[in-house]
Structures are given as C-alpha cells and as structure tokens.
Amino acid sequence: MPDDAYPELEPVPVDSIVDTQGLRVALTRFESVQGEVQGPGEVAGAAVRVTLSLTNEGDGDLDLDLVVLNAFMGNQRDPAETYEQPGGSPVTGTLAPGETAEGVYLFRIPEDRRGDVTFIVDYRQSESAVVFRGAIS
C-alpha cells in the first residue's frame, strides 16, 4: 500500500502514458523471458522484461541515475525480485530537455501472478512516483 513518506500518483493502466512535472513516462514493452542467475543466492525463473520510456519535457536536465523502477504482485504488493539478465539495461546519465531515454528492467514474476502487477517509477525525490497497475502478458 502507498506510504505517505513516499507519495504516489493514482495508478493508471499499464499501457498508459503519464505526463507529470515535465516528464513523460510509459512502459512500452513487456516480454516473457527466463531470468538468468548472475550471483550467489539468485534463483532462475519466469521473468518479465519491461521497457521504460522517459521523455524530458521540462526545462532542466533529469538525472537518470535517480530513476528506479520497482514491480509488485497482487493487491498486497508482494515485491518482485529483480534480474540483470537477459538484456537488462537501466537508464543512466543525464536526460536533456526534449530527449527520450529507454531502459530495460527484469522482474521475477511467475506467469500465474501476472494478472495484477503494479510498477512504480520513482524519478525525483520531490515528486510523487508514477504508478502503473494491471495485467501483463
């Protein structure tokens, strides 16, 4: 559930485009993959590879190193574990006004838990997080 210390915008469907505080945010692609083990304690499993698109519509640069995408399953928001592979490539660097960046993130989400998934995009400490919620394939 949302925490007052970490404000969130109202959830929108996963296929929405959100314009907020000079930033356009969208989840543009969902792919079913097999998450790959990269280190001790990790477990391979069914995963979803998500492409996050950010367009800076503001006047100043956006620090992409502050952008975090998290995923949760079900109404109780069980956290989805993350993977780096195959193909993970988070956004990094600086996004100038008018530019678009895409990042790729992987989450361990079993096929039977994909009917209700929440994705939360945190991008700036002073702004409410963007929340997408719905079924993914």
Side-chain angles (χ1 to χ4, degrees):
M1 293 296 137
D3 181 338
D4 291 340
Y6 302 99
E8 298 176 355
L9 297 173
E10 286 296 315
V12 297
V14 294
D15 60 353
S16 298
I17 297 172
V18 176
D19 288 301
T20 180
Q21 301 298 318
L23 185 66
R24 175 171 282 193
V25 183
L27 304 177
T28 60
R29 188 171 184 185
F30 299 96
E31 302 169 272
S32 292
V33 297
Q34 184 71 15
E36 297 175 4
V37 174
Q38 298 294 307
E42 292 183 353
V43 178
V48 175
R49 186 166 47 206
V50 181
T51 302
L52 169 67
S53 175
L54 301 169
T55 301
N56 185 347
E57 297 179 330
D59 297 329
D61 290 345
L62 177 66
D63 184 351
L64 294 176
D65 295 327
L66 299 178
V67 173
V68 177
L69 175 62
N70 288 303
F72 302 88
M73 300 170 285
N75 193 46
Q76 68 283 5
R77 285 194 177 182
D78 294 330
E81 295 177 40
T82 60
Y83 290 107
E84 293 180 15
Q85 296 299 325
S89 179
V91 294
T92 61
T94 301
L95 187 62
E99 291 186 352
T100 298
E102 286 190 341
V104 179
Y105 301 80
L106 289 100
F107 299 98
R108 184 177 180 192
I109 304 175
E111 290 183 23
D112 65 346
R113 301 286 314 267
R114 296 181 186 176
D116 182 10
V117 181
T118 299
F119 294 95
I120 300 177
V121 182
D122 286 303
Y123 64 97
R124 191 179 294 140
Q125 185 177 6
S126 61
E127 302 297 338
S128 296
V130 177
V131 181
F132 298 91
R133 184 174 181 187
I136 58 172
S137 54

